[in-house]
Amino acid sequence: MGGSEVLCSHSDSPLACLGNLGARHPASLHLQSAAVSTSTLPSPTAPTVTPVKVLAAMSGGVDSSVATAILTEQGYEVVGSMLRFWPDDKPQGAFDLCCSPDAAYDARRVADNLDVPFYLLDFRETFQEIVIDPFVPTYQAGSTPNPCVWCNRHIKFGAFVQRAQALGCEYMASGHFVRRIDGPHGPELHRGVDDDKDQTYFLWALPRSILRYLLFPLGDLTKAQVRAMAAERHLRTAEKKSSSGLCFVPTTVKAYLEEVTRAVPGKVVDASDGYREVGDHKGVAYYTIGQKRGLGLRQSHLERYVIELRSETNEVVVGTRDMCHWRNLEATRGNFLVEEEHLPKRVEAQVRYRQRPEPATLTLLGAERFRLEFDDPQFAVATGQSAVIYSGERLLGGGVISSREA
């Protein structure tokens, strides 16, 4: 079966036979929203106009369930759909909470409850190519990947928007905690009101051209409010545990890497002591920048942090905490959700998901490259990770960290 074929539907609609469809823009894509949230989604109906059709991304979790319910209650013509990523021989513990057969069952039952047609789409091959295949080689090269960013760009939003258009939908909606606001120069993405659940960090690589097609019904809600709404509507996912981490990793990233790679032992050297050999490591791929525990140091009382991973010499470099801070970085694969002439020079930026945005100066270098100079040195800046840029609550874009300087 192809990488994006329809597997099944809960109706006998001929849409269930759709295969690998390209993007077809609907005849009318005229609706714009002032602030796309639960309270101010675009009006789904107008005199003599049929309800606006929306493709709702459903994962079998509480967030997408409530997002779908909100859309149906506001009068949209909703089509529910879920992407299949899990293989037939999925490892035990992987694809358990989301992207699993059980999750698909829950999504289908919620769709039934809401009287929404539901389609399961096969994206196994695409997921393997975009998300899984680059994962291990990136670690082996001494960098730390951020696979969710590329899954969002190419699959969960990129391919899904194309599928929405192919089905005649004017919008695609998801349960992400993000706000879409129409600004003076077009649609903007802003942080969700729930700081703990905000997901803009993983959306910096979205093509700017698709923002006009996106709806985020949960942007103005907190997670607690979402669960309460699910309970009020008697949705089967109301108390379902939220997913976290990487869906294809059964336990921890380190355990996954140890299982699928061959250990290549080497030396640990201390940059604070003239790069003296201070221990042995099991393989560069098993360590991350900023790691403090499990370093294999011969003098275990020393407080040291991983500050560099040298795949070419198979060395793990450690140093003091002060040495694990960098003020400057350069990034590649830059992507901005605003015209470059409207980018401010002074921005706030994050180099990790669970981090407060920090003031920095942005310099564009051309060829999808940029430089950030932070006001204060940042801890554990890792190549391969995302440098995500904001102006206040607004997501401006980001890139992949390629180098850093103290």
Side-chain angles (χ1 to χ4, degrees):
M1 182 169 291
S4 57
E5 295 179 359
V6 175
L7 291 177
C8 52
S9 158
H10 82 173
S11 72
D12 293 326
S13 166
L15 292 178
C17 298
L18 288 172
N20 188 10
L21 298 174
R24 284 186 299 147
H25 291 269
S28 173
L29 288 169
H30 58 279
L31 292 177
Q32 296 292 325
S33 62
V36 182
S37 65
T38 49
S39 57
T40 53
L41 289 168
S43 175
T45 59
T48 71
V49 177
T50 57
V52 173
K53 193 173 182 180
V54 179
L55 182 65
M58 302 183 72
S59 66
V62 63
D63 299 335
S64 62
S65 298
V66 171
T68 304
I70 289 172
L71 293 169
T72 61
E73 291 166 9
Q74 294 196 345
Y76 288 89
E77 180 186 350
V78 181
V79 178
S81 186
M82 180 175 172
L83 304 179
R84 174 179 175 175
F85 297 149
W86 68 90
D88 291 332
D89 57 345
K90 81 177 189 70
Q92 184 176 359
F95 302 99
D96 271 359
L97 289 177
C98 69
C99 319
S100 71
D102 288 343
Y105 178 83
D106 286 338
R108 185 182 303 280
R109 295 288 75 79
V110 169
D112 285 342
N113 187 41
L114 298 174
D115 196 24
V116 166
F118 177 85
Y119 305 96
L120 181 63
L121 308 178
D122 185 3
F123 273 79
R124 285 175 289 179
E125 292 179 8
T126 308
F127 186 78
Q128 180 73 38
E129 176 186 353
I130 298 296
V131 177
I132 297 180
D133 287 350
F135 186 71
V136 171
T138 303
Y139 272 104
Q140 291 174 323
S143 292
T144 306
N146 200 333
C148 296
V149 167
W150 308 112
C151 184
N152 284 330
R153 176 182 172 87
H154 295 290
I155 305 176
K156 288 186 177 179
F157 287 88
F160 220 63
V161 165
Q162 290 184 350
R163 184 53 55 89
Q165 293 171 338
L167 293 175
C169 297
E170 296 196 24
Y171 291 100
M172 174 226 152
S174 86
H176 285 70
F177 287 83
V178 177
R179 291 178 296 144
R180 194 199 103 174
I181 295 176
D182 279 351
H185 303 291
E188 304 172 358
L189 297 189
H190 289 240
R191 291 182 179 276
V193 299
D194 190 332
D195 287 338
D196 191 53
K197 293 297 180 180
D198 170 66
Q199 292 164 299
T200 52
Y201 179 85
F202 298 105
L203 301 183
W204 65 262
L206 294 188
R208 184 158 57 93
S209 60
I210 73 170
L211 299 188
R212 63 183 295 193
Y213 304 119
L214 304 182
L215 301 180
F216 299 99
L218 306 188
D220 285 331
L221 297 172
T222 65
K223 184 73 172 191
Q225 289 174 315
V226 169
R227 288 205 180 276
M229 292 176 71
E232 290 169 1
R233 289 155 178 77
H234 306 290
L235 300 180
R236 62 182 294 119
T237 55
E239 299 300 325
K240 190 173 182 178
K241 182 181 177 182
S242 296
S243 60
S244 61
L246 301 175
C247 62
F248 61 93
V249 173
T251 54
T252 67
V253 170
K254 183 178 180 181
Y256 176 82
L257 292 170
E258 288 176 339
E259 181 178 349
V260 301
T261 64
R262 179 177 62 87
V264 184
K267 301 302 180 184
V268 179
V269 297
D270 189 347
S272 67
D273 191 13
Y275 293 93
R276 181 173 63 89
E277 183 182 315
V278 293
D280 301 286
H281 68 76
K282 299 178 181 179
V284 167
Y286 309 147
Y287 299 82
T288 57
I289 300 300
Q291 182 175 334
K292 179 183 176 182
R293 304 182 188 280
L295 302 184
L297 302 181
R298 297 183 186 124
Q299 293 179 299
S300 58
H301 66 281
L302 294 177
E303 184 179 79
R304 293 291 184 268
Y305 298 80
V306 174
I307 64 171
E308 187 180 356
L309 296 166
R310 296 177 173 175
S311 59
E312 66 279 2
T313 59
N314 196 29
E315 292 176 309
V316 172
V317 183
V318 299
T320 63
R321 183 175 177 84
D322 285 345
M323 297 176 73
C324 199
H325 286 76
W326 292 267
R327 185 184 296 274
N328 305 297
L329 66 81
E330 288 191 10
T332 58
R333 303 181 74 174
N335 182 73
F336 294 102
L337 305 181
V338 57
E339 293 284 356
E340 290 188 359
E341 59 263 31
H342 297 136
L343 281 170
K345 189 172 181 63
R346 291 290 295 169
V347 298
E348 298 85 46
Q350 291 177 230
V351 296
R352 298 185 309 282
Y353 175 46
R354 294 296 183 185
Q355 177 199 10
R356 183 180 62 187
E358 296 289 344
T361 299
L362 170 66
T363 303
L364 300 181
L365 303 175
E368 298 183 344
R369 296 167 54 246
F370 63 83
R371 179 182 180 88
L372 285 172
E373 181 179 353
F374 288 92
D375 292 2
D376 298 308
Q378 301 299 299
F379 178 72
V381 179
T383 60
Q385 281 286 285
S386 296
V388 184
I389 302 169
Y390 295 86
S391 177
E393 297 291 297
R394 183 183 180 185
L395 173 65
L396 297 179
V400 178
I401 299 170
S402 57
S403 63
R404 66 268 162 90
E405 298 175 2

